[in-house]
Amino acid sequence: MRSVLTALRRLACLICLAVFATMPPAHARQAASAPITRAAFVNANVVPMDRERVLRGQTVLVENDRIAAIGPRIAIPAGARRIDARNMWLSPGLADLHTHVQTRDDLAIYLSYGVTTVLHMGEASNAFVGRTRIAANTAAIPAPHVYVALAVDGSPRYGHLVVTTAEEARAAVLLARANGYAFIKVYNNLSAEAFAALTAAGRELGIPVIGHTVTAMGGLERQLAGGQLLVAHAEEFIYSHFFAPAADSGQRVPPDSAIPGAVAMVKRHDAFVAADLVTYRAIAGQWGKPAIVRESLASPEIRLLSPRYRLEWPLAGYDTRQGDLMPRAAFLGRLVKAFADAGIPLVAGSDAPTIPGVFVGSSLHDNLALLEAAGLTRYQALATATRNAGAFLVRARTRSPGSCAWGPA
């Protein structure tokens, strides 16, 4: 995997810049008389992700913002921009389906790492959800395609929108739909009544429910049975499936003998799980170790981090805790491998850049490497950020009866 990821990193900026350089402005693309612009990637090793294979020596022809043809002997139209991709790898764009980026600069960094789709998992500003998302999704700025989730909770403790009744829950879904949110993200302190109302309104209005453990629901199985489409962190299974919240010491590791039951439960409800090993590994790595946070702040990548996070990372507090979370991190690797081997669709996420040391863009590549280290095949690991991510978005869209959240804006 490391060699594949290195090659992807080498090609990512070239691909994204070349495609964007050939794309006319959004208003021009919509005009019937707009000329077609073309780019041809020649002699690429294509990883199509339809199944586990590599197509070597391929030409990939891009017309405007769509792939028009792939093959070893494609006729390249006159005037097309030729890009020599010999000894490089070309894959579907990567997707980070758990991020908290806030700026256009963050989105451009994602694009430079070959990330062409992101899901903002809550706490985005109104300006980001409106102006920045629209600019990204109409190609007015260099950015991945952006989906946004509205985070909803039962208390203001974590800074999310507060919903306490069924009536307020329905209103929240209506507001999400009107403002271009694609998902509702549920959080810990919701009531069972509010959760049920959110999923009911989400089904009706085409805004699927994803997110965290809701303590009042008494476990993830009830949430998935109630219609939650995605579990936003693999570690949520520790908090609300393997242990009851009141019985979790924060350090105990579930027995591996419990993993098959979790696999069966997720398969029963045909749900998706975010395999975000990089998130928990970063937390475990700095748990009680201030030096690790200082190393992150001294990393060359720090120059790409928004000033806000340079100030917030030293205050996160993980480095002041006691104990050892690395055994739990290792368990999560075994859990996601079991999920992958059972055919449960895992999607990649990073939580960047809210966790100290989890940088925008590069952390998604780190997550793919951690998945392979956990025993997933290269194809399984790459699928979390490509094929499975697409399947998740398609499934979510099938629940949408024409909601404006899925429009070009």
Side-chain angles (χ1 to χ4, degrees):
M1 174 63 74
R2 180 62 66 181
S3 62
V4 173
L5 295 180
T6 300
L8 285 172
R9 283 187 176 120
R10 290 174 57 200
L11 191 55
C13 187
L14 170 66
I15 293 170
C16 294
L17 291 178
V19 171
F20 271 87
T22 63
M23 288 171 60
H27 63 82
R29 294 208 310 273
Q30 295 168 1
S33 60
I36 297 175
T37 57
R38 298 181 175 92
F41 298 88
V42 182
N43 293 319
N45 296 313
V46 176
V47 185
M49 294 306 296
D50 57 341
R51 60 181 186 274
E52 189 169 0
R53 60 176 178 158
V54 175
L55 306 177
R56 301 185 183 276
Q58 303 292 300
T59 293
V60 179
L61 179 64
V62 177
E63 294 185 349
N64 291 342
D65 56 353
R66 293 289 184 271
I67 294 174
I70 299 176
R73 291 178 292 276
I74 298 294
I76 301 175
R81 181 178 180 182
R82 295 175 66 102
I83 299 158
D84 186 3
R86 189 182 306 274
N87 298 322
M88 295 186 179
W89 302 74
L90 183 60
S91 82
L94 303 177
D96 188 336
L97 296 188
H98 194 138
T99 183
H100 294 279
V101 294
Q102 298 288 351
T103 69
R104 293 184 177 201
D105 289 342
D106 291 336
L107 293 175
I109 292 167
Y110 260 127
L111 197 64
S112 76
Y113 278 93
V115 178
T116 56
T117 303
V118 297
L119 169 55
H120 193 295
M121 272 285 197
E123 302 172 9
S125 68
N126 289 337
F128 184 92
V129 177
R131 290 195 301 270
T132 302
R133 178 184 60 86
I134 292 171
N137 294 354
T138 56
I141 60 173
H145 192 93
V146 177
Y147 297 97
V148 184
L150 177 62
V152 181
D153 202 359
S155 80
R157 179 180 178 185
Y158 298 104
H160 303 319
L161 182 69
V162 175
V163 167
T164 59
T165 66
E167 182 180 8
E168 290 171 354
R170 179 174 175 80
V173 179
L174 287 167
L175 283 172
R177 184 186 186 199
N179 286 278
Y181 289 88
F183 299 92
I184 293 290
K185 177 187 178 183
V186 294
Y187 219 75
N188 304 16
N189 297 314
L190 279 173
S191 67
E193 175 192 19
F195 179 87
L198 287 168
T199 54
R203 281 191 294 270
E204 176 188 346
L205 300 172
I207 311 291
V209 167
I210 60 179
H212 283 221
T213 294
V214 175
T215 303
M217 291 297 293
L220 274 176
E221 173 134 35
R222 292 184 181 180
Q223 291 178 231
L224 300 183
Q228 184 168 324
L229 180 60
L230 168 73
V231 181
H233 296 279
E235 60 264 30
E236 294 298 321
F237 287 86
I238 295 179
Y239 306 145
S240 60
H241 179 75
F242 296 116
F243 301 128
D248 182 13
S249 67
Q251 306 286 324
R252 291 170 58 201
V253 178
D256 284 11
S257 60
I259 290 177
V263 169
M265 183 267 286
V266 178
K267 288 183 73 69
R268 275 197 300 274
H269 302 294
D270 199 19
F272 291 78
V273 177
D276 57 336
L277 295 185
V278 70
T279 310
Y280 199 84
R281 182 62 63 95
I283 293 172
Q286 65 195 266
W287 199 262
K289 299 180 178 67
I292 301 298
V293 178
R294 290 195 296 270
E295 288 175 10
S296 297
L297 293 169
S299 166
E301 287 184 284
I302 200 69
R303 69 189 187 278
L304 302 177
L305 188 69
S306 298
R308 163 185 173 178
Y309 294 105
R310 299 185 200 186
L311 297 174
E312 290 183 358
W313 279 10
L315 304 176
Y318 300 120
D319 58 342
T320 65
R321 309 292 180 86
Q322 295 182 344
D324 184 4
L325 294 186
M326 293 306 289
R328 275 193 168 188
F331 172 82
L332 289 175
R334 298 192 295 274
L335 177 65
V336 299
K337 174 174 169 49
F339 283 163
D341 290 346
I344 290 171
L346 302 174
V347 298
S350 68
D351 229 350
T354 58
I355 308 299
V358 181
F359 290 94
V360 171
S362 63
S363 60
L364 186 66
H365 291 262
D366 294 338
N367 194 65
L368 297 179
L370 285 172
L371 288 170
E372 189 186 13
L376 277 70
T377 67
R378 292 179 177 181
Y379 177 77
Q380 286 175 323
L382 281 173
T384 66
T386 55
R387 181 184 179 93
N388 296 353
F392 166 74
L393 293 169
V394 168
R395 176 91 67 80
R397 189 161 188 165
T398 62
R399 300 186 178 196
S400 172
S403 167
C404 66
W406 295 98

